[in-house]
Amino acid sequence: MNRAFSPLVKSLLLAVLAVSGVASAAEHAAPAKVDPAKGSTLYADGDNARGLPACVSCHGAAGNSTIAANPKLAGQPEAYLYKQLVNFASPSRNNPVMSTYAKMLTDDEKKNISAYLSAQVQKAGAAKNKDTVELGKKIYRGGIAEKNVPACASCHGPAGGGIPALYPRLAGQHQDYTVGQLTAFRGEGRKNSAEMSTIAKRLSDDEMKAVADYVAGLK
């Protein structure tokens, strides 16, 4: 009996091994290569078939938003942009517009868009309020010791360039957007940085506005 079934058993074993080999190869296949060109197309055109609008309509050509409430994305660290798109698709950074669209993007599309935007050149901004720019400079460079507020530069860099994945570029950013994010951190409407939530709660409205205005003029 055993001899009669041995060829069949052997065939089944070979089939199982073959399927396992294919599965193992798929698991260890190299991830898709990041493609900034595809990111550029999706950014500029969106995807009508999915009802995904063009990012350019809110964030401007090449990531240089002309709408003060919407951030400039050009020149942001690639890893930071990707992290934010992932966060928008989770409860940690809920936004009625961005959360909807981030959930529609595949992981590869998030990476492609991030790669495209990080390679763009940001158009310079400018500080506008001469009466508070010195206060903003003082806080950004030295913090506020009596309120246990660290220097913004310690994480975002002396020129506001940021640190990939961890801290965004602040240089040249719209004042209104920066104030909006600090306010969201303070009110815990944005929950993807515990340290920023802690720091923002120690800042007054005037201090937030002063810092936002100062960093808008950094290059």
Side-chain angles (χ1 to χ4, degrees):
M1 182 70 71
N2 289 339
R3 289 180 182 177
F5 281 92
S6 61
L8 175 60
V9 171
K10 185 180 293 184
S11 296
L12 289 172
L13 286 173
L14 289 173
V16 169
L17 288 173
V19 171
S20 298
V22 171
S24 178
E27 288 175 2
H28 293 87
K33 185 177 180 180
V34 175
D35 192 335
K38 288 183 178 179
S40 173
T41 299
L42 193 57
Y43 182 88
D45 301 331
D47 185 345
N48 289 332
R50 287 183 288 168
L52 184 68
C55 313
V56 68
S57 60
C58 289
H59 293 288
N64 279 292
S65 166
T66 57
I67 303 170
N70 296 338
K72 295 179 184 178
L73 301 177
Q76 282 287 0
E78 180 178 344
Y80 180 79
L81 287 170
Y82 170 72
K83 177 181 181 295
Q84 298 314 301
L85 286 172
V86 171
N87 288 168
F88 274 126
S90 77
S92 65
R93 190 173 181 187
N94 188 37
N95 178 281
V97 176
M98 281 303 305
S99 294
T100 298
Y101 299 140
K103 290 174 183 177
M104 295 170 69
L105 295 171
T106 67
D107 195 61
D108 285 343
E109 287 171 337
K110 290 181 176 73
K111 291 177 180 177
N112 292 342
I113 291 172
S114 299
Y116 162 69
L117 287 168
S118 69
Q120 305 311 300
V121 177
Q122 186 200 83
K123 291 183 179 179
K128 299 176 181 178
N129 193 337
K130 63 180 181 180
D131 296 327
T132 64
V133 71
E134 284 303 318
L135 173 61
K137 179 179 179 180
K138 179 181 178 182
I139 296 172
Y140 188 85
R141 293 187 175 184
I144 309 173
E146 61 272 23
K147 298 173 77 170
N148 200 25
V149 172
C152 312
S154 62
C155 291
H156 294 280
I163 298 176
L166 298 175
Y167 308 109
R169 173 188 174 91
L170 297 180
Q173 190 58 267
H174 293 306
Q175 288 93 330
D176 288 358
Y177 177 75
T178 301
V179 170
Q181 295 311 297
L182 288 171
T183 301
F185 277 126
R186 183 171 64 188
E188 298 189 359
R190 180 173 172 178
K191 304 176 182 179
N192 64 340
S193 174
E195 57 192 320
M196 277 307 307
S197 293
T198 298
I199 293 168
K201 288 174 183 176
R202 298 170 183 167
L203 293 172
S204 69
D205 288 348
D206 287 342
E207 289 164 345
M208 287 183 181
K209 291 176 182 177
V211 170
D213 193 53
Y214 173 70
V215 298
L218 292 176
K219 296 177 176 62

